Every structure is written in C-alpha cells, then in structure tokens.
Amino acid sequence: MNLAELQELHALPFFELLKRSHEVHEASFPAGKIQLCTLLSIKTGGCSEDCAYCTQSARYETDLKNERLLSKETVMESARAARENGSTRFCMGAAWRGVRGGTERFNQVVDIIKDVSSLGMEVCVTLGELGPDEAVTLKEAGVTAYNHNLDTSPEHYPNIVTSHTYEDRLRTIRNVQDAGMSVCCGGILGISETITDRLRLLEVISSFNPQPESVPINSLMPMPGTPLANNPQVDPFDLVRMIACARIAVPNAKVRLSAGRTRLSDETQALCFYAGANSIFYGDKLLTADNPEAGKDRELLAKLGLDTLEPNPSLEAPSIDRDLAASPCCSPKSCC
Ligand code: SAM
Ligand code: DTB
Ligand code: SF4
C-alpha cells in the first residue's frame, strides 16, 4: 500500500477503520486465536549501537547490568518452560550490532538454536545485522523467523539511530528472505515520530517481497538514562489505528501487540485484538522490560473469549513473488 492509501485509511472515522481491519483479519486468520510468544534476552546490554529508545545501548547510563551470553542449558530451561506455559514461539534476542560467521559467539548461538528448534516451537531470533552466509547458517540451524525492525520511517530513522542506517537494516532483511527464513519486521511508536512516519513505515514494510510473516508493533517503554526517557505515552486510540492499518497493509502477517502492554488497559488491548492484533509476548518479562504477568494475560484472553493459536514449527517463509521487480525488498521510491 502506498502512503496516500494509508493516509486515507488512517483518516477514516475510528469505527469505520476498525470495521475494515476486522474484516481483513477475519478473511486471513481463524477467528479469536492469539499466538503466545515468549521472549528471552540471551545476551543483555553493552550494545555498541545508539538506538535512542534502548536501555541496552552502551552509550547511555542506565541501571541495566550487562550480562554474558547465556549458557545453552539456561536457554533450554526457559524454552521448555515457555512451551509448557503454552507459548508456540520462542524468541531469543541479543544486544549486538550483528553477528559474523566463524566467531565463537556465532557458533555458540547456532548451537543453542539447534537445540531449541528440537522443542517443536517456532524459533525466532534477533541478533542484529546478518550477511547472506550467516542467514543461511541460521536457517539451517532451525530458525523459523528473524526479527529485524525498521522501527520508523526512513526519514525519521537518523533522528533515532546514527550508528547504522536504514539501508543496513534493509540489507539484512533481504539476506534473511534470500535464506528462506520468515521476516518479523515492525516498529515502535512514541519515539517522537509523526503519523506520517508511522504510515511510511507501513508503506515500506508492505512493499516487501514477500511481505513479512509478522509485524510487531511496540510502544515505547521509556527507559531512564536513554534520550527518550521523558517521551509521553502514545495515545491508545493512535495505537489501535496503527494496528488496524498494519492489519490491512500486511493482511497475512501476524500483527504482534508487543512492548508497552503494561501501560495499556484491558479495554485498549481488546480494541487492538478486534483491530487485528493476533499475537502477544507472554510472560512477565520482555528482554529487559516488564510485561503483564502471564496469569493476568490468561484472564484477559478468557474474559474476551479468545483462544490461543496452535504451534506451527514447520512454518514456511512466504514465497517471493517472482512477477514483481527484483528489488531488494521495497521499491526505491517508497523507501530510501
Ligand atoms: N539488537 C537487535 C536489533 O536491534 O534488531 C535486537 C533487539 S532490539 C531490543 C528489538 C526491538 O525492540 C527494537 O527494534 C525496538 O522495536 C524494540 N525495543 C527496544 N527497546 C524498546 C523500548 N524501550 N520500548 C519499546 N520497544 C523497544
Ligand atoms: C520486538 O519488536 N519487540 C521485542 C522483540 N521484537 C525482540 C523486544 C521488545 C523490547 C522491549 C524493551 C526491553 O525489554 O528492553
Ligand atoms: Fe543494540 Fe538492538 Fe538496542 Fe539498538 S535496539 S541498541 S541494536 S540492542
């Protein structure tokens, strides 16, 4: 979808937008099913990058304690617990600029992934920048999806991150797609962006070939010590509108209501699910930040009569549309 189409959608009366996005959702997914995903930070803090929202950047003075890469045993313990608690996707995040084949840490992560992928859950990792060879290695190790967010528009990105570029992010996404992994790519609201920035993000994401398999929508959790620590909370209606636009722009993707749920009312979350969100991070912790308690989420889903999505560990990446131009992942005019 192009920017003009997205702007037209976004400007609809709230309930008209919700009606349309709900129809798209019903056409693409079984009614009333939410995917539960568990996140684990396998390498916390000390990151070289300067993402202005992130407590894991080494550039800011935050309360976060840096940690080494977790052992395989520790990760497996969390992964087994996640499966027992009903999660069907296990996402491992590392605070790195990226990974390079042949290094000790890459080999260790690959070894961890091989074991986690034997548990029958979808395996998602987010390790930063990847080259083509690293992407193939991760695919072969059993990764189902690679999370690499664009976070905002190409225009606003340099205001938020200066240590790598939007182009770098797009290159990694292309490598992930070429290796046959699904792409998980979304954004973050509340980082001083305009509505146009949000819609430009959706314009870029919706022009990927293939479109991403999942689109996480995060709301800023302001982290003391980071440049965005004092940013105001996102208007809940704006969050719902963004979810609805994402659902329409990327109809077959799981739209994940991601960071920031601790500050949302049950009613706002219910509107997000109606608008097309069908996945959440489940468990008391995200990477470093708080998430609603699992019991509270179970209660909310039960109150709304929502069920959970079955696991699909053999999830195939969406296929590339060969009839479209062989652009990396978005057409130059809609991107950078
Ligand atoms: N280092 C990897 C990378 O940059 O892709 C992976 C981890 S990074 C923490 C993954 C995503 O988490 C970011 O792209 C951003 O959307 C989200 N995120 C990070 N800090 C956040 C915060 N304080 N509030 C909300 N979302 C946040
Ligand atoms: C995504 O889009 N959100 C998740 C996951 N992908 C890796 C991360 C949210 C991080 C929230 C801040 C924290 O826990 O430090
Ligand atoms: Fe590092 Fe990722 Fe945080 Fe940026 S978002 S500082 S790359 S961990």
Side-chain angles (χ1 to χ4, degrees), residues 14-15 18 21-22 25 32 34 236-237 239-241 243-244 257 261 264-278 280 297 299-306:
F14 186 72
F15 288 121
L18 252 61
S21 66
H22 190 71
H25 189 184
I34 303 288
F237 291 109
L239 168 64
V240 179
R241 278 185 189 277
I243 297 271
L257 180 58
R261 288 196 304 113
L264 298 181
S265 68
D266 284 358
E267 292 83 352
T268 299
Q269 293 191 65
L271 282 173
C272 289
F273 296 138
Y274 188 80
N278 61 346
I280 55 171
D297 275 341
E299 243 173 60
L300 174 61
L301 295 181
K303 244 193 240 177
L304 299 175
L306 294 172

Side-chain angles (χ1 to χ4, degrees), residues 43 45-60 93-98 126-129 148 151 157 160-161 163-164 169 287:
K43 162 68 186 82
C47 182
S48 62
E49 303 308 285
D50 67 354
C51 311
Y53 48 76
C54 187
T55 192
Q56 302 205 68
S57 166
R59 319 260 184 136
Y60 314 125
W96 287 326
R97 180 197 164 95
T126 178
L127 314 170
E129 207 169 293
H148 204 62
D151 281 329
Y157 199 73
I160 299 299
V161 183
S163 51
H164 57 256
R169 301 293 282 184
L287 292 174

Side-chain angles (χ1 to χ4, degrees), residues 1 9 37 49 63 86 92 97 116 143 148 151 186 188 195 235 239 280 290 298 309 321 324:
M1 282 181 89
L9 257 188
C37 312
E49 303 308 285
D63 295 337
M92 293 169 275
R97 180 197 164 95
V116 172
V143 169
H148 204 62
D151 281 329
I188 170 169
I195 300 289
D235 180 327
L239 168 64
I280 55 171
D290 289 343
R298 285 234 171 257
L309 207 61
D321 186 341
L324 293 178

Side-chain angles (χ1 to χ4, degrees), residues 16-30:
E16 179 60 28
L17 174 58
L18 252 61
K19 184 170 147 254
R20 291 204 201 174
S21 66
H22 190 71
E23 279 167 9
V24 172
H25 189 184
E26 283 189 323
S28 310
F29 284 97

Side-chain angles (χ1 to χ4, degrees), residues 39 54-56 91 93 126 147 149 151 184 186-187 216-218 221 223 256 258-259 281 285-290:
L39 254 183
C54 187
T55 192
Q56 302 205 68
C91 310
T126 178
N147 169 242
N149 292 342
D151 281 329
C184 170
I217 303 293
N218 298 278
M221 305 200 67
M223 297 298 189
R256 186 164 304 118
S258 301
F281 287 117
K285 207 165 164 208
L286 293 163
L287 292 174
T288 70
D290 289 343

